[in-house]
């Protein structure tokens, strides 16, 4: 499949993170659809065990296997994988220690929970390892199985620790299969084939976590992707009206006359007062959004803006968001 002109030519692992509540799973799903458009094959990986992907694509809970969940525009395919930590650990034991039967027995005894509790770095190696393996996987003819992999990753506050698996396993293993596996994972994560995208809202805390996360990744030499501003609310009032509302200069009498002219004679003044209050609230919200957008202006990475889906997030909405990402060069 020939490359297309996007901001992320050559990137094959797209890691999507964001503060809780910013809609990062929705954005990850939309990005997978966007990347798959035009006959490509994309894998969408979920690592937090919430089955959020299944809900978005309106499918039954995903088993621990790669399963097709959507057809992208122009005949692309999106596959999804919800990683089960226990199953992944058993698979890991089989792959590197030939302990499949023992692994199943260990999981029944609760040792899996014990291992991932005392050695959380091992858990992260397993989860990131599944995504990096999918990136490297090839068909018999040498072509890549997937054109791209999108990972719905942990929240911004944990993303650097989650991806920097070499540091996490340093105290566990200096050599051997675990160390070698971690090194292989880090080669993918630190390569130009990887980009970590941040999802944010135009609100103080998500923006601050985005700025902090970008700084932390940069300090750890992990490639930084774009900033995706989700659920943007465009101003509904003209600029002069927003300024008047912000300054408390809206003409209540004029608005009252307008309400009456619309046929709402009864309680016209009360309705007008409510409209003035709503306009003031909108003006304040617009001012706050502009302030946060200004804070994001220091970021060198590309920025993309996705609209608020007023009807809620459904499959049709995902396709709309995917189209918006394509139009802005994100995929």
């Amino acid at each position: 499949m020939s490359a297309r002109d996007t901001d992320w030519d050559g990137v094959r692992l797209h890691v999507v993170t964001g503060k809780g509540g910013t809609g990062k799973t929705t954005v990850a799903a939309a990005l997978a659809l966007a990347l798959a458009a035009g006959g490509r094959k994309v894998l969408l990986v979920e690592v937090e065990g919430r089955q959020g992907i299944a809900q978005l694509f309106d499918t039954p809970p995903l088993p621990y296997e790669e399963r097709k969940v959507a057809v992208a525009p122009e005949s692309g395919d999106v596959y999804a994988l919800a990683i089960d930590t226990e199953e992944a650990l058993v698979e890991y034991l089989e792959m590197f220690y030939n302990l499949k039967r023992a692994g199943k027995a260990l999981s029944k005894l609760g040792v899996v929970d014990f291992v991932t509790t005392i050695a959380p770095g091992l858990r992260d190696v397993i989860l990131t390892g599944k995504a990096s393996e999918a990136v490297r996987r090839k068909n018999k003819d040498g072509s890549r199985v997937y054109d791209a992999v999108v990972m719905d990753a942990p929240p911004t506050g944990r993303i650097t620790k989650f991806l920097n698996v070499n540091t996490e396993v340093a105290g566990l293993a200096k050599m051997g299969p675990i160390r070698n596996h971690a090194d292989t994972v880090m080669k993918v994560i630190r390569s130009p084939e990887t980009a970590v995208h941040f999802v944010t809202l135009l609100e103080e805390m998500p923006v601050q976590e985005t700025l902090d996360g970008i700084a932390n990744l940069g300090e750890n030499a992990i490639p930084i992707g774009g900033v995706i501003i989700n659920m943007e609310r465009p101003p509904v009032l003209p600029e002069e009206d927003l300024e008047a509302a912000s300054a408390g200069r809206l003409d209540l009498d004029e608005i009252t006359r307008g309400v009456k002219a619309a046929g709402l004679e009864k309680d016209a003044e009360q309705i007008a007062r409510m409209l003035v209050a709503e306009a003031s609230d909108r003006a304040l919200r617009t001012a706050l959004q502009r302030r946060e957008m200004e804070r994001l202006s220091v970021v060198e990475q590309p920025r993309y803006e996705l609209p608020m889906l007023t009807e809620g997030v459904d499959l049709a909405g995902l396709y709309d968001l995917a189209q918006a990402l394509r139009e802005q060069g994100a995929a």
Side-chain angles (χ1 to χ4, degrees), residues 136-188:
R136 301 191 314 273
R137 195 186 311 163
K138 294 183 178 181
N139 296 305
K140 291 182 179 179
D141 63 3
S143 62
R144 300 284 187 178
V145 172
Y146 292 107
D147 294 290
V149 176
V150 178
M151 180 195 292
D152 177 20
T156 312
R158 204 170 84 78
I159 191 62
T160 302
K161 185 176 181 180
F162 175 76
L163 293 175
N164 199 18
V165 293
N166 261 357
T167 300
E168 291 303 298
V169 302
L172 296 175
K174 303 298 182 184
M175 61 185 65
I178 293 177
R179 184 78 228 184
N180 292 339
H181 185 52
D183 288 342
T184 301
V185 171
M186 286 310 301
K187 285 181 181 178
V188 174

Side-chain angles (χ1 to χ4, degrees), residues 197-307:
H197 306 292
F198 288 81
V199 181
T200 187
L201 306 180
L202 289 178
E203 298 174 3
E204 182 176 2
M205 288 303 296
V207 167
Q208 187 59 55
E209 286 203 15
T210 296
L211 296 174
D212 291 344
I214 289 173
N216 289 337
L217 287 189
E219 292 169 0
N220 287 275
I222 296 174
I224 302 166
V227 175
I228 303 171
I229 300 167
N230 195 25
M231 294 186 265
E232 187 181 22
R233 301 169 184 261
V236 296
L237 295 174
E239 189 66 29
E240 60 183 44
D241 289 340
L242 283 173
E243 292 179 1
S246 179
R249 291 188 282 100
L250 289 177
D251 190 327
L252 179 62
D253 292 336
E254 182 180 353
I255 295 174
T256 301
R257 288 193 295 271
V259 171
K260 290 179 179 179
L264 300 174
E265 289 281 345
K266 185 179 180 181
D267 300 323
E269 185 172 341
Q270 181 179 353
I271 294 172
R273 291 184 184 279
M274 292 172 62
L275 290 174
V276 169
E278 175 66 19
S280 298
D281 181 67
R282 294 270 182 164
L284 176 60
R285 187 182 304 165
T286 299
L288 291 175
Q289 287 186 342
R290 288 175 177 173
R291 184 191 69 186
E292 297 308 320
M293 185 70 86
E294 181 65 24
R295 292 177 68 203
L296 287 172
S297 66
V298 302
V299 175
E300 297 178 354
Q301 284 69 32
R303 290 182 303 186
Y304 313 100
E305 298 174 15
L306 295 178

Side-chain angles (χ1 to χ4, degrees), residues 27-107:
V27 172
L31 180 59
L33 280 170
L35 289 166
R40 290 166 174 79
K41 185 177 180 181
V42 173
L43 178 64
L44 176 59
V45 179
E46 180 180 66
V47 300
E48 294 185 281
R50 295 184 292 105
Q51 289 289 341
I53 292 173
Q55 294 175 35
L56 282 171
F57 287 101
D58 195 23
T59 66
L62 296 169
Y64 182 52
E65 63 182 39
E66 293 161 21
R67 177 170 292 185
K68 185 175 176 179
V69 294
V71 175
E74 303 170 35
S75 303
D77 292 323
V78 175
Y79 285 72
L81 171 66
I83 300 179
D84 178 274
T85 305
E86 183 174 295
E87 291 287 343
L89 181 53
V90 170
E91 182 180 73
Y92 181 86
L93 293 172
E94 177 190 18
M95 185 182 304
F96 293 103
Y97 295 98
N98 196 27
L99 292 176
K100 184 170 185 178
R101 291 184 180 179
K104 289 183 177 179
L106 288 172
S107 67

